[in-house]
Amino acid sequence: MPADRDLDLIFAALADPTRRAILSMLLEDDMAVTDVAAPFGISLAAISKHLATLAGAGLIRQERRGRIIWCKLDPEGMRAAAVWMRSFGQVDPLDLDDFERFLAAELGLPAEAEGAAETPE
């Protein structure tokens, strides 16, 4: 089982939408830092901080090639989080409609009240 600190770093890195977008971009191919920054309306320094967070969590690797720093997705970095999340897949998903019917029955609500929470179209 991974250390809690490792999972904390991974989930903290994934919590930011910019960092998730960067990971999605890196799914396609390795990219130079300047290319990673191009679609975002933020400074290169801000992108560098996002990349440092992703690297610190083990989700990407950075490599200097000449004067250019390249970023590469590290699929092994996501493995600990994926294994941890998969462990919750052993529980059957909750059917919210059944739960709502159960609550209505337990609370003694009339049958027409069961569908009252639904939004009319």
Side-chain angles (χ1 to χ4, degrees):
M1 195 64 164
D4 286 344
R5 178 157 164 58
D6 294 341
L7 286 175
D8 290 347
L9 289 173
I10 292 168
F11 286 118
L14 295 174
D16 185 274
T18 300
R19 290 191 286 267
R20 290 192 307 270
I22 291 169
L23 289 174
S24 294
M25 291 166 52
L26 292 175
L27 273 172
E28 301 296 321
D29 201 4
D30 299 358
M31 297 178 77
V33 170
T34 53
D35 294 333
V36 171
F40 300 99
I42 58 178
S43 70
L44 192 55
I47 286 294
S48 293
K49 287 182 182 181
H50 284 299
L51 292 171
T53 300
L54 291 169
L59 299 174
I60 67 167
R61 286 182 279 143
Q62 293 181 297
E63 173 185 313
R64 181 175 290 278
R65 297 179 197 162
R67 295 188 320 158
I68 299 172
I69 298 174
W70 287 83
C71 302
K72 178 181 177 119
L73 193 65
D74 187 354
E76 284 299 312
M78 192 71 78
R79 186 176 309 279
V83 168
W84 184 82
M85 288 186 295
R86 252 185 263 134
S87 68
F88 291 96
Q90 297 171 2
V91 178
D92 291 334
L94 178 64
D95 183 336
L96 293 178
D97 291 332
D98 282 347
F99 184 61
E100 186 176 9
R101 285 188 287 277
F102 167 77
L103 284 178
E106 287 295 308
L107 297 173
L109 297 176
E112 64 271 3
E114 292 179 25
E118 296 177 10
T119 308
E121 294 182 30

